[in-house]
Amino acid sequence: MTTSAEASRATLVRAIAEGQAHQRGALIPILHEVMDECGYVDTADLPVIADVLNLSIAEVRGVVSFYHDFATAPPPSHTITLCRAEACQSVGAQQLYDDTAARLAAGQFGHSAELREVFCLGNCALGPAGTLDGRLYGQLDHDRLTTLTAEWGAR
Ligand code: FES
């Protein structure tokens, strides 16, 4: 069963594809416009684009998977980056990373939040260091992360 959101996305993707189908090598510009408008290229977009360009779905999928610029899933709602380099390791970064990974898996930061590791953020004197949605923080621990992410809908 198709939801109205899926139907409206398919209509938008078809309009994008039809709008660019006339140009040579239209597939790449179409995929970029779908990324701009929708945030990522969904599996359901592939047959729509293939139909408009008279390509096989496999051909469209091949191009999407070849270029790393084309995301195939919605972007994460929030991103936590934790430093795992030596200075931060010496003040508990590994334990914080493991704890945060477990909390993330339990959905405590929202269901599409993402945890990344990084090796030094240049904030070594204030470890464990990390970023929350790109903003740098120091002296992170379980409770501070809870406070800082409270507005993310953490449970
Ligand atoms: S080692 Fe963690 S910020 Fe430099």
Side-chain angles (χ1 to χ4, degrees), residues 22-108:
H22 64 281
Q23 63 178 302
R24 193 172 175 166
L27 180 54
I28 297 290
I30 289 169
L31 292 172
H32 278 291
E33 192 171 341
V34 170
M35 287 286 299
D36 290 344
E37 294 295 325
C38 305
Y40 68 103
V41 180
D42 192 84
T43 303
D45 301 338
L46 306 183
V48 175
I49 297 167
D51 180 53
V52 171
L53 296 182
N54 198 25
L55 297 171
S56 71
I57 296 171
E59 287 174 292
V60 178
R61 181 180 291 115
V63 171
V64 170
S65 62
F66 183 80
Y67 295 103
H68 295 294
D69 276 357
F70 300 128
T72 55
S77 54
H78 297 286
T79 302
I80 301 170
T81 302
L82 295 177
C83 176
R84 300 183 76 185
E86 200 167 307
C88 287
Q89 290 272 11
S90 70
V91 289
Q94 182 63 50
Q95 182 182 1
L96 178 63
Y97 187 91
D98 293 343
D99 175 62
T100 304
R103 296 171 70 190
L104 191 87
Q108 292 186 11

Side-chain angles (χ1 to χ4, degrees), residues 2 8 35 49 54 62 64 90 107 114 116 123 133-134 136 141:
T2 304
S8 103
M35 287 286 299
I49 297 167
N54 198 25
V64 170
S90 70
E114 176 181 82
R116 295 182 185 159
N123 199 28
D133 289 341
L136 180 64
D141 60 17

Side-chain angles (χ1 to χ4, degrees), residues 125-142:
L126 294 174
T131 65
L132 304 175
D133 289 341
R135 184 170 178 184
L136 180 64
Y137 292 93
Q139 298 180 314
L140 289 171
D141 60 17
H142 178 103

Side-chain angles (χ1 to χ4, degrees), residues 1-11:
M1 185 170 153
T2 304
T3 67
S4 65
E6 290 167 342
S8 103
R9 180 177 175 125
T11 301

